[in-house]
Amino acid sequence: MKIKQILTQRVIAAMTAAGIPEGTNPAVALSNRPQFGEYQANGVLGAAKALKTNPRELANKVVAELDLTDIAEKVEIAGPGFINIFLSKDWLNQQMMAAKADERLTIATADQAQTCVVDYSSPNLAKEMHVGHLRSTIIGDAIARTLEFQGHKVVRQNHMGDWGTQFGMLIAHLEDNMQGGNIDGTALADLEVFYREAKKRFDEEDNFADRARDYVVKLQGGDERCTELWQKFIEVSVSHSEDIYNKLNVTLTRDDIKPESAYNDRLAPVIENLQKQGLAVEDQGAQVVFLEEMANKDGEPMPVIVQKSGGGFLYATTDLAALEYRSQTLDADRSLYFIDARQSLHMQQVFTIAKKSGLASEKVSLEHHPFGTMMGEDGKPFKTRAGGTVKLVDLLDESVTRAAELLSQRETDLTAEQQAEVARKVGIGAVKFADLSKHRTSDYIFSWKTMLSFEGATAPYLQYAYTRVQSIFNKAGIDASSLSDEIVISQEQERTLAIKLAQFEDTLELVAKEALPHQLCAYLYEVASGFMSFYEACPILKDDVTSEEKNTRLILAKNTAATLKLGLDLLGIEVMDKM
Ligand code: ARG
């Protein structure tokens, strides 16, 4: 149920009926204090100012027109003209009953399904994935899952970097590591090491560097031997990434990979197109687009090189071709990019050229959703002690090991195998939640201690809250799916929890619109802590609890667990029945 959206519509209707011009923002928001109801509509104040009339009188008129009989039990005017809305008990009871019987927790699918192309993860295949790839991979995945859940058509695009000059040196080095047509078993086990070896030879061995350059040219020309070596290398590198996706519980598959090389045939036509329109012009041998839209202080247009003087294409050219494909072939309504904030200028240039040239359709919304950097506890970008890049696989494995250690200190009746499974879900969940719960655009400090804590907004805390509910049903010997519809919400903590639970759909709308998973994290944390306070104040299984109270509370517990499970699933985090 989209409460906020419904209230907004109703308030707008009442404002219009009261003579307020259309387009005025009703400013419906959650109240910050219970005495002001659950929601407030504050838009009358601004409207009164614009109309130069008394705000309280105007608020009276709006309230007289406002029909909320099915949702609210009371509507009050406060202060200079705020409208306070108190949700009705019956309505809340109904909401909780409906959610109990519905796997989607009454969350509707979008009236107008959109085609959303989501570019995320997109690592360079020359090296192994490192911590710098974490954010794009998990933020993009959370948004892809959320949009899909809302009923949109999601096309994942893993724009892997599999092309460029580095591959010349890599395949030359690979050639020297082949035995009888097969790759030496251990050569590519560690791509970091392999890359370093190749780079060293490139810098130090004359013949090798020449051979590497020669191979780049051959590869670009479609030479069979070079292509074969390149494919062997790519295959190994892709399977390294797949291991990471599996570990991370990320939904990307092989079918989602549309690497840079897939656009090779489209690069020349893109340039031709830009030239024909007079957008790309020759400048010192290169093809350049001058953007007045992005002029500097002195009004000089910004130059963007789309083809180098030697004829070579660039990162931007490939992105233009990819954008054309997403817009024209995939027919995207939204094209979302989860890429580091340091590429903001690049994205802005690409978007501007694409819109201007018609490579992008008019309807497509081009969205770069940037993110900040993961920092070490010293406040500098996260590195190994020796100052090297941290492989993502090592970070994830360490988290699982740490989670296992922590869990082993707790009482448990789980088998060793079950414990290992719990440690895996907690360890991976902790890394993901710690990241996803920060505002996407800010840098954040990576801290094992905070992310693995059972207190505060962490994955372990939410996973634990989920297991609490499971154990209540276990103890009661009741099957959550067989609860009756008897429900009477009366205690304050019951009401607070129920209202929180009813806000799930509004939260998802917000998350999907702005591509901000931290809103979902914050919401789930409020649900979990709301449940903990509720359970402290409202016993469920004690003897003096009436059967009506018991059923009401079990419904709330069930809905809490279902919300946590679904919400965490949209973040790509798993739950367990016991921990
Ligand atoms: N491979 C690039 C990198 O590692 C990211 C690609 C992002 N996607 C895109 N369409 N440019 O920096």
Side-chain angles (χ1 to χ4, degrees):
M1 157 70 60
K2 299 176 198 170
I3 319 179
K4 189 174 159 186
Q5 218 160 302
I6 292 173
L7 292 177
T8 302
Q9 282 161 7
R10 302 269 184 99
V11 176
I12 289 177
M15 285 170 76
T16 314
I20 295 173
E22 271 177 55
T24 308
N25 182 1
V28 173
L30 278 172
S31 304
N32 41 20
R33 285 203 218 140
Q35 66 263 39
F36 298 146
E38 281 86 24
Y39 283 88
Q40 293 182 310
N42 302 332
V44 168
L45 268 87
K49 209 168 175 190
L51 295 172
K52 299 199 172 69
T53 102
N54 178 312
R56 252 197 107 95
E57 270 167 32
L58 189 59
N60 265 317
K61 276 195 209 154
V62 172
V63 169
E65 298 289 347
L66 184 57
D67 179 15
L68 289 178
T69 38
D70 49 341
I71 304 176
E73 60 194 14
K74 195 164 70 170
V75 176
E76 272 180 5
I77 298 169
F82 301 114
I83 298 173
N84 294 341
I85 299 164
F86 298 76
L87 298 173
S88 98
K89 287 199 188 86
D90 284 346
W91 180 82
L92 257 189
N93 288 338
Q94 278 162 23
Q95 292 309 307
M96 289 302 107
M97 228 147 48
K100 164 180 86 77
D102 180 4
E103 263 182 25
R104 291 185 58 92
L105 297 166
T106 73
I107 297 170
T109 47
D111 299 335
Q112 279 173 325
Q114 293 186 309
T115 298
C116 305
V117 177
V118 189
D119 180 322
Y120 68 104
S121 194
S122 307
N124 286 331
L125 294 177
K127 293 188 185 177
E128 235 164 280
M129 286 175 76
H130 56 82
V131 295
H133 295 113
L134 178 70
R135 304 210 72 188
S136 173
T137 307
I138 65 179
I139 298 173
D141 200 51
I143 298 304
R145 287 171 184 255
T146 304
L147 289 167
E148 218 156 43
F149 179 71
Q150 292 183 318
H152 297 295
K153 178 178 169 202
V154 172
V155 187
R156 292 166 174 77
Q157 292 283 281
N158 195 345
H159 191 82
M160 285 176 152
D162 65 342
W163 204 244
T165 52
Q166 293 156 318
F167 290 94
M169 98 191 168
L170 291 169
I171 59 180
H173 188 47
L174 184 61
E175 188 169 43
D176 300 338
N177 277 281
M178 300 283 285
Q179 284 159 351
N182 294 315
I183 304 173
D184 169 1
T186 55
L188 294 179
D190 189 323
L191 288 185
E192 278 319 295
V193 173
F194 188 84
Y195 185 94
R196 245 180 283 139
E197 288 168 358
K199 180 82 172 71
K200 186 158 189 279
R201 293 184 66 191
F202 186 84
D203 292 338
E204 293 170 10
E205 283 177 41
D206 280 349
N207 284 340
F208 183 81
D210 289 339
R211 202 170 115 222
R213 284 191 205 98
D214 179 39
Y215 279 17
V216 175
V217 178
K218 281 194 171 152
L219 186 61
Q220 286 170 346
D223 173 86
E224 210 175 303
R225 170 85 184 137
C226 284
T227 306
E228 199 186 306
L229 284 164
W230 170 74
Q231 269 161 352
K232 286 207 159 90
F233 182 88
I234 295 297
E235 172 55 35
V236 174
S237 189
V238 165
S239 65
H240 274 280
S241 304
E242 280 184 312
D243 290 346
I244 297 269
Y245 299 149
N246 286 335
K247 263 190 213 273
L248 264 180
N249 188 29
V250 156
T251 55
L252 285 168
T253 68
R254 282 216 170 209
D255 292 343
D256 305 318
I257 301 176
K258 179 98 178 167
E260 290 184 6
S261 65
Y263 298 101
N264 286 350
D265 293 346
R266 295 299 312 156
L267 303 178
V270 162
I271 301 296
E272 260 168 53
N273 179 337
L274 295 177
Q275 283 169 327
K276 265 201 206 120
Q277 302 191 52
L279 288 170
V281 292
E282 195 182 317
D283 190 62
Q284 296 169 46
Q287 292 297 317
V288 183
V289 179
F290 289 92
L291 296 173
E292 299 89 38
E293 295 85 347
M294 296 175 69
N296 66 11
K297 285 199 289 315
D298 302 326
E300 294 159 4
M302 173 179 283
V304 182
I305 305 179
V306 289
Q307 186 171 17
K308 290 191 269 192
S309 57
F313 300 105
L314 299 101
Y315 184 49
T317 329
T318 311
D319 256 323
L320 285 169
L323 204 156
E324 179 186 39
Y325 170 74
R326 292 168 193 188
S327 175
Q328 313 294 345
T329 309
L330 297 177
D331 196 23
D333 296 295
R334 290 178 75 181
S335 186
L336 299 87
Y337 294 75
F338 290 90
I339 315 178
D340 195 301
R342 283 169 289 197
Q343 293 191 27
S344 293
L345 180 63
H346 162 77
M347 290 321 300
Q348 208 191 330
Q349 292 170 338
V350 168
F351 289 171
T352 310
I353 297 176
K355 280 284 179 186
K356 212 173 160 170
S357 62
L359 285 171
S361 67
E362 236 158 72
K363 74 166 178 184
V364 68
S365 147
L366 302 175
E367 309 171 19
H368 175 211
H369 297 294
F371 47 82
T373 307
M374 175 170 141
M375 303 291 197
E377 303 215 49
D378 57 0
K380 299 199 188 109
F382 197 83
K383 289 267 156 67
T384 59
R385 270 186 203 194
T389 47
V390 179
K391 277 198 214 171
L392 194 43
V393 65
D394 293 342
L395 183 95
L396 299 178
D397 290 347
E398 180 170 352
S399 191
V400 174
T401 309
R402 284 177 183 258
E405 261 164 42
L406 282 172
L407 289 161
S408 70
Q409 294 160 14
R410 300 166 75 101
E411 287 277 330
T412 177
D413 53 6
L414 297 177
T415 66
E417 207 179 311
Q418 290 169 325
Q419 284 182 48
E421 183 65 359
V422 170
R424 185 186 63 75
K425 292 179 178 176
V426 171
I428 300 298
V431 170
K432 293 180 84 169
F433 194 88
D435 188 298
L436 294 168
S437 59
K438 309 295 182 313
H439 193 293
R440 174 165 50 67
T441 56
S442 31
D443 295 344
Y444 76 94
I445 294 192
F446 185 91
S447 154
W448 290 117
K449 204 168 155 242
T450 352
M451 76 176 68
L452 283 165
S453 166
F454 281 83
E455 275 154 50
T458 65
Y461 177 76
L462 296 181
Q463 288 165 324
Y464 174 66
Y466 179 83
T467 64
R468 286 286 295 266
V469 179
Q470 304 312 308
S471 81
I472 292 169
F473 278 98
N474 250 335
K475 247 190 235 153
I478 294 171
D479 181 357
S481 60
S482 63
L483 291 172
S484 79
D485 275 351
E486 194 180 17
I487 179 165
V488 181
I489 294 170
S490 50
Q491 296 291 316
E492 190 194 313
Q493 288 88 350
E494 294 171 340
R495 183 177 169 88
T496 311
L497 177 60
I499 289 169
K500 201 30 65 191
L501 291 169
Q503 289 163 358
F504 196 9
E505 188 162 9
D506 278 332
T507 308
L508 292 183
E509 286 283 308
L510 219 65
V511 171
K513 192 158 162 253
E514 312 279 343
L516 290 174
H518 80 274
Q519 313 252 31
L520 178 53
C521 295
Y523 170 75
L524 294 175
Y525 175 62
E526 285 166 20
V527 167
S529 50
F531 172 77
M532 297 295 192
S533 321
F534 149 82
Y535 191 46
E536 227 166 82
C538 308
I540 299 179
L541 303 178
K542 289 221 174 103
D543 290 342
D544 54 352
V545 174
T546 68
S547 85
E548 186 184 73
E549 280 172 338
K550 182 171 168 184
N551 204 63
T552 299
R553 292 171 188 177
L554 284 172
I555 290 177
L556 291 174
K558 180 190 177 195
N559 290 350
T560 299
T563 302
L564 290 174
K565 183 170 185 197
L566 175 57
L568 287 171
D569 183 58
L570 295 177
L571 297 172
I573 296 174
E574 296 171 89
V575 293
M576 62 294 286
D577 289 342
K578 283 184 177 182
M579 80 196 289

